[in-house]
Amino acid sequence: MKYAIETDKLTKKYGELTAVDALSLRIRRGEIFGLLGPNGAGKTTLISMLCTILEPTSGKAKVNGFDISAEQSSVRKNIGIVFQDPSLDDELTAWENLDIHGALYGLSPQDRKARAESSLKTVELYDKKDELVKHYSGGMKRRLEIARGLMHAPAVLFLDEPTIGLDPQTRRHIWDSVKKMNREKKVTVILTTHYIDEADALCGRVAIVDRGKIVACGAPSKLKKKGESLEEVFLRLTGNEIREEKGSSTQTMRARMRAWNK
Amino acid sequence: MSEFTAIRVLWKRELLRFVRAKSRIAGSLGMPLFFLLFLGTGLNSAFSGTTGNYMEFIAPGIIGMVLMFSSVSSGMIVIMDRQFGFLKEILVAPISRLSIVAGKIFGGATTSILQAAIIMALMPFLGVSFNLSGMLAAFAFMVLISTAFVGLGIAIASKMEDMHGFQLVMNFLVMPLFFLSGALFPLNNLPGWLKVLTLIDPLTYGIDGMRGALTGSSAMPFWVDFGVLALFCGAMFALGAWLFTKKNS
């Protein structure tokens, strides 16, 4: 079993809209793999199916050798995920968030303590462990989510736009931790990002996804024509028009809350 | 084993959030205290011709009110968990949906009972006091009432997109259930239509049961109150678990 991810004609339809269209993909163990694509291309839908929170309409997929429909529980034990939208409990401290996470993944109290400590140190938040998460900055929250995603030592880590809205220093820091995890613990990393040059520097291979299909897949150096940047490849393959993405109720609600808090 | 740990840690989360939200606790105590103090004192004199005093009569009703209001709210908080993303974190964890619901229900029930206990502890200052054995018997009803209504809250939350419907549920479901429960007036000598409505209201049995336990006088026998309420509690637990699982699978 040398693949961390194997999908076979994986499809998700929402009524008329096909978000993921018979997508077949293989990601080897230990890879850092980038999913690139315009808004609404189906990246998040694909990741949601792979981490069992969305049932595919048709097709099959395996994560670390486990079927995403028939072996949900085994899939969940083997993955860590940092969602596109924040998913921390703001009313709790960083430490409490990690402790709950560890318990949900069946770690013993001693393991929870040791792993929470080491993962907080990895993202350099250990000295802030007893602060309520609501007092954290955006970048700190993101780092905490990455620490949490890694805490139960998953075989596969999904990062859905982990660096969106962060300053270059924080982004660099996050990517460094990701590289370190990949190198030291052999974690397979699947990430999505709009910072194409970061994906270029970080990923062994990337897939450019558009309208639910893969339009190109391979090492960034192989996708580039002479003198082209990966971003130019991206635009050449996906066009220049701006995509509209329908906001979920969550996003609408968040936008409203932000307006309210101003 | 890990399912048990998961339930316990989700229960603990509700408790942590509860003790941190001091203003919410204080806010939730306002209405029941004013009911007791103003309505209780105000109507005490009108009641004086009959047996017992009104303050003592509505005390179990007010406890029931605190339990139901806070339980339905804490069940519906699932919507906020969904909107703020934390629900996703729980949903991708390797635990069953039933454990998630159980943790939520036990947590919500515990915090509701704590709020009711605060009110009960304040009651002696308003001249209402109960004996210990009565309070222990009432505790059984408190557990059933809070468990049932957190379950109902989760069931409703599973059918709603966002928190906008919260007031609708509070005003058109929870308020009528409270008024029809016999919390504020005795159940005997009611006009027929009202009598029927009070008997349909499951909270009626909870409040009558607590009143029997605390004051020694109830409209229905203990086993009727307990039996109906236990059935309702089981049904709401199942409904909450079923709708939550359906919504999130």
Side-chain angles (χ1 to χ4, degrees):
Chain A
M1 183 185 58
K2 60 185 210 224
Y3 294 110
I5 305 281
E6 271 179 284
T7 75
D8 180 24
K9 297 200 181 77
L10 196 64
T11 303
K12 181 71 192 179
K13 289 185 182 173
Y14 295 102
E16 289 292 288
L17 179 86
T18 307
V20 172
D21 192 358
L23 192 144
S24 297
L25 176 70
R26 282 178 174 177
I27 299 175
R28 280 186 299 275
R29 297 185 138 199
E31 273 194 89
I32 298 186
F33 190 93
L35 283 171
L36 310 178
N39 287 334
K43 302 173 305 260
T44 298
T45 308
L46 173 62
I47 288 184
S48 300
M49 286 191 283
L50 294 177
C51 67
T52 75
I53 49 176
L54 208 55
E55 279 277 327
T57 312
S58 63
K60 278 188 176 299
K62 282 185 174 180
V63 175
N64 210 31
F66 298 106
D67 188 282
I68 57 163
S69 302
E71 297 163 296
Q72 287 196 339
S73 184
S74 305
V75 172
R76 288 182 189 149
K77 273 183 202 142
N78 279 276
I79 60 169
I81 175 158
V82 175
F83 295 103
Q84 192 171 356
D85 299 316
S87 65
L88 295 161
D89 189 334
D90 273 13
E91 303 286 327
L92 302 182
T93 66
W95 187 263
E96 286 160 351
N97 266 286
L98 293 188
D99 188 56
I100 290 177
H101 182 85
L104 294 178
Y105 283 79
L107 301 180
S108 71
Q110 299 89 311
D111 275 356
R112 252 137 69 190
K113 198 163 172 285
R115 301 231 196 138
E117 190 178 322
S118 74
S119 38
L120 280 172
K121 281 178 178 161
T122 310
V123 296
E124 291 176 23
L125 283 174
Y126 187 69
D127 52 333
K128 299 251 178 10
K129 68 184 168 67
D130 294 320
E131 262 182 54
L132 291 183
V133 171
K134 65 178 169 191
H135 299 142
Y136 270 28
S137 70
M140 289 160 74
K141 285 185 190 176
R142 230 46 193 140
R143 273 147 62 197
L144 178 58
E145 287 189 291
I146 290 172
R148 188 179 66 179
L150 290 169
M151 186 183 161
H152 56 281
V156 182
L157 179 66
F158 294 97
L159 302 168
D160 197 358
E161 295 187 28
T163 54
I164 200 159
L166 303 178
D167 61 28
Q169 287 86 345
T170 314
R171 294 213 303 265
R172 171 73 52 92
H173 192 105
I174 285 177
W175 292 134
D176 284 345
S177 333
V178 168
K179 268 192 278 191
K180 196 170 148 206
M181 291 306 304
N182 173 258
R183 201 174 47 235
E184 288 173 4
K185 309 231 162 120
K186 307 282 172 249
V187 183
T188 310
V189 180
I190 291 107
L191 62 93
T192 75
T193 179
H194 284 310
Y195 300 104
I196 309 280
D197 39 334
E198 291 181 5
D200 193 359
L202 194 72
C203 299
R205 287 198 306 150
V206 298
I208 297 177
V209 184
D210 196 17
R211 298 175 212 279
K213 286 179 187 289
I214 293 177
V215 292
C217 183
S221 58
K222 299 230 170 97
L223 297 178
K224 288 184 234 177
K225 288 180 183 166
K226 193 169 56 219
E228 236 183 359
S229 71
L230 190 60
E231 183 150 332
E232 282 161 343
V233 178
F234 181 88
L235 290 170
R236 171 161 58 82
L237 291 168
T238 59
N240 279 309
E241 75 192 274
I242 294 172
R243 307 300 169 82
E244 296 294 338
E245 189 178 19
K246 192 171 164 281
S248 67
S249 65
T250 314
Q251 285 164 327
T252 329
M253 150 96 184
R254 276 221 180 80
R256 229 180 269 137
M257 296 258 318
R258 258 179 247 129
W260 185 258
N261 288 331
K262 263 172 200 158
Chain B
M1 185 58 207
S2 70
E3 296 286 334
F4 176 75
T5 312
I7 294 173
R8 207 189 37 154
V9 77
L10 291 174
W11 170 81
K12 194 175 137 199
R13 170 182 176 241
E14 300 291 325
L15 248 64
L16 279 170
R17 288 175 63 96
F18 176 74
V19 295
R20 300 253 160 89
K22 302 233 163 42
S23 62
R24 204 182 73 200
I25 302 176
S28 71
L29 298 179
M31 185 152 80
L33 280 179
F34 294 142
F35 257 89
L36 264 178
L37 189 62
F38 303 143
L39 192 72
T41 318
L43 286 179
N44 225 352
S45 45
F47 240 71
S48 56
T50 58
T51 54
N53 79 40
Y54 185 66
M55 190 81 99
E56 193 174 89
F57 177 83
I58 62 165
I62 299 304
I63 296 169
M65 174 177 100
V66 174
L67 289 172
M68 178 172 64
F69 279 60
S70 57
S71 297
V72 172
S73 313
S74 73
M76 287 180 70
I77 287 292
V78 176
I79 298 174
M80 301 301 274
D81 281 346
R82 192 157 66 220
Q83 282 171 337
F84 288 100
F86 187 74
L87 190 62
K88 261 193 192 166
E89 146 80 358
I90 308 175
L91 290 174
V92 290
I95 55 167
S96 74
R97 299 291 184 258
L98 186 62
S99 299
I100 298 175
V101 174
K104 197 87 206 166
I105 288 181
F106 296 147
T110 308
T111 56
S112 296
I113 291 170
L114 285 174
Q115 287 182 57
I118 298 173
I119 292 288
M120 281 174 90
L122 293 172
M123 281 178 175
F125 298 103
L126 299 171
V128 187
S129 53
F130 308 114
N131 63 35
L132 192 66
S133 62
M135 286 205 278
L136 285 177
F139 182 72
F141 284 98
M142 290 167 72
V143 171
L144 290 177
I145 294 171
S146 51
T147 307
F149 283 102
V150 183
L152 178 64
I154 292 175
I156 296 169
S158 303
K159 287 281 164 194
M160 281 171 38
E161 273 285 297
D162 49 39
M163 243 7 202
H164 296 312
F166 183 75
Q167 280 304 324
L168 200 71
V169 173
M170 281 300 173
N171 289 333
F172 285 91
L173 180 71
V174 174
M175 281 307 258
L177 283 177
F178 168 61
F179 284 124
L180 291 170
S181 68
L184 302 176
F185 49 78
L187 295 174
N188 34 10
N189 305 324
L190 292 176
W193 64 272
L194 191 55
K195 178 91 184 171
V196 171
L197 287 178
T198 58
L199 291 178
I200 293 172
D201 183 351
L203 186 63
T204 301
Y205 303 89
I207 287 180
D208 192 57
M210 284 196 293
R211 189 171 283 141
L214 293 171
T215 69
S217 72
S218 65
M220 284 167 284
F222 172 83
W223 287 111
V224 173
D225 285 332
F226 192 83
V228 173
L229 197 61
L231 279 178
F232 175 68
C233 181
M236 288 302 108
F237 199 122
L239 185 71
W242 181 58
L243 289 179
F244 180 86
T245 308
K246 212 171 86 168
K247 168 99 190 174
N248 298 298
S249 58

